[in-house]
Amino acid sequence: MKNPGQFFIMNKKIFSIQIVLIFFNFLFSLDFSLLPFFEVTYGQLGEYIFAESQTYIVSHLEWEEKPLLYTGLNANFKTGNLCFSASMKTAFPLECGKMYDSDWTSSGVKYTYAIHKNSAKFNIGSEISCYYEFSVNHYFSIIPYAQIQYLYNSFSGHDGYGFYGSKRNSTNGETVSWDSEFATYQKVVGIDYSRHSLWNWLGGGIQLFSANKSFYIRAFGMISLYRYFFSKDYHKSKINNDFTMISIVDEFFKDFKILASFSYTLKKNKLDFLTSVSYNFSLFSKGTLYSDYFWDSIVPVNQISATDFYELSVQSGIQVYL
């Protein structure tokens, strides 16, 4: 009779070999491609602060992305009709529009309006996607789609000027509108801003092929099951009165994305030209606010913050099959 221990060891080795063979069979069944791309993005990030009563907005910063210029790489894996993709991108540190700073009184008088040049500092993004192509016929497929997206934006608002109508700044000692004759014109130092954004997207779309499958068109619609924003701005002062504001906003089902793409075969199973257009927007959402404006450290305050966001992106590249 064989030794039970030897029998167990032999079966364990056979099982291990089978797992390795299955893994390599799966690995060699994958179609792998790389897509270096260039992307142009137009958009805007908004941050708001409410009064302690939470009934009206006292401050609003608008950070333009007009435009942000990205370059990146997308890796695609496909086995049968199941597809995976992962991408990374980074933006060039260039001037990208304006930053607008506005403040209001409780009666709705806008007494501050400042305009800065806005420059991109460090901006990166990444996406991990999974989808399955259900072929209806030779020309048409239905595609359920899931994606995790991360975006980090940082900007510097600089070389700014503004019109100030607060009691401290007006020429008549009263709070007046920013465009009043009593408001004063001033040069301002600037504000630095950063935001971490995370989305969990779920949706679906369709795919249309040409008769010879030399090109296809895809269209998707998605909703974010959960979204998280962590924003931080650093206000610089001429009189050493710098301060920081931090906003945390997380929401369910308040963000939407529309995506359309077109692919044309340049060389069968070797090269494709791919271009896509996407529009991503967040509905106005409230969150918590932290600041060191009145304190020596950053602490929670009795006011609340809010955010909104939109981006329109056009991406193009050459997909290389390996």
Side-chain angles (χ1 to χ4, degrees), residues 77-84 130-137 140-145 205-209 213 216 218 220 321:
F77 308 86
K78 183 176 181 180
T79 175
N81 290 354
L82 181 62
C83 306
F84 303 90
C130 177
Y131 57 95
Y132 191 90
E133 300 174 359
F134 289 99
S135 298
V136 177
N137 54 44
F140 179 69
S141 297
I142 296 174
I143 306 175
Y145 197 97
I206 59 172
Q207 180 172 247
L208 300 174
F209 290 98
K213 293 202 171 183
Y216 68 75
R218 288 175 175 171
F220 296 94
Y321 292 89

Side-chain angles (χ1 to χ4, degrees), residues 220-265:
F220 296 94
M222 288 172 270
I223 185 171
S224 180
L225 305 183
Y226 174 75
R227 176 255 289 152
Y228 176 83
F229 286 160
F230 179 96
S231 306
K232 181 179 181 180
D233 59 60
Y234 177 69
H235 295 247
K236 304 170 188 177
S237 171
K238 297 177 182 178
I239 56 174
N240 295 321
N241 191 29
D242 300 1
F243 66 93
T244 299
M245 308 288 281
I246 292 177
S247 167
I248 298 177
V249 178
D250 59 337
E251 284 281 6
F252 298 89
F253 307 109
K254 277 204 170 183
D255 297 68
F256 305 89
K257 182 190 284 191
I258 302 169
L259 172 67
S261 63
F262 168 82
S263 177
Y264 179 76
T265 300

Side-chain angles (χ1 to χ4, degrees), residues 33-230:
S33 63
L34 292 175
L35 174 69
F37 62 83
F38 180 75
E39 179 179 302
V40 180
T41 293
Y42 278 80
Q44 183 170 290
L45 290 74
E47 56 172 332
Y48 305 80
I49 297 176
F50 279 76
E52 290 189 14
S53 65
Q54 302 185 10
T55 57
Y56 63 93
I57 294 170
V58 296
S59 179
H60 179 206
L61 297 182
E62 303 168 77
W63 300 86
E64 290 185 338
E65 302 173 334
K66 297 183 180 179
L68 275 182
L69 303 178
Y70 285 96
T71 184
L73 183 67
N74 191 0
N76 299 280
F77 308 86
K78 183 176 181 180
T79 175
N81 290 354
L82 181 62
C83 306
F84 303 90
S85 68
S87 69
M88 284 288 296
K89 64 180 182 180
T90 183
F92 296 97
L94 302 171
E95 191 171 318
C96 57
K98 304 291 185 183
M99 188 276 282
Y100 302 96
D101 183 4
S102 303
D103 297 317
W104 288 267
T105 67
S106 59
S107 59
V109 176
K110 182 175 176 177
Y111 65 91
T112 297
Y113 183 54
I115 303 169
H116 303 70
K117 291 181 180 179
N118 188 30
S119 293
K121 294 173 66 179
F122 183 60
N123 294 266
I124 60 171
S126 64
E127 297 175 352
I128 298 175
S129 308
C130 177
Y131 57 95
Y132 191 90
E133 300 174 359
F134 289 99
S135 298
V136 177
N137 54 44
H138 189 71
Y139 307 99
F140 179 69
S141 297
I142 296 174
I143 306 175
Y145 197 97
Q147 183 184 83
I148 297 174
Q149 180 184 3
Y150 170 75
L151 195 61
Y152 176 77
N153 298 107
S154 63
F155 304 103
S156 177
H158 58 95
D159 296 327
Y161 63 91
F163 303 91
Y164 294 83
S166 65
K167 288 182 179 181
R168 185 179 63 184
N169 294 296
S170 68
T171 57
N172 66 353
E174 298 178 1
T175 300
V176 297
S177 173
W178 69 272
D179 56 357
S180 165
E181 60 179 314
F182 301 111
T184 57
Y185 170 88
Q186 299 180 27
K187 292 284 189 178
V188 289
V189 179
I191 304 174
D192 290 338
Y193 179 74
S194 64
R195 179 187 286 184
H196 297 269
S197 306
L198 180 67
W199 293 272
N200 295 317
W201 299 104
L202 187 64
I206 59 172
Q207 180 172 247
L208 300 174
F209 290 98
S210 62
N212 60 0
K213 293 202 171 183
S214 62
F215 71 86
Y216 68 75
I217 298 173
R218 288 175 175 171
F220 296 94
M222 288 172 270
I223 185 171
S224 180
L225 305 183
Y226 174 75
R227 176 255 289 152
Y228 176 83
F229 286 160
F230 179 96

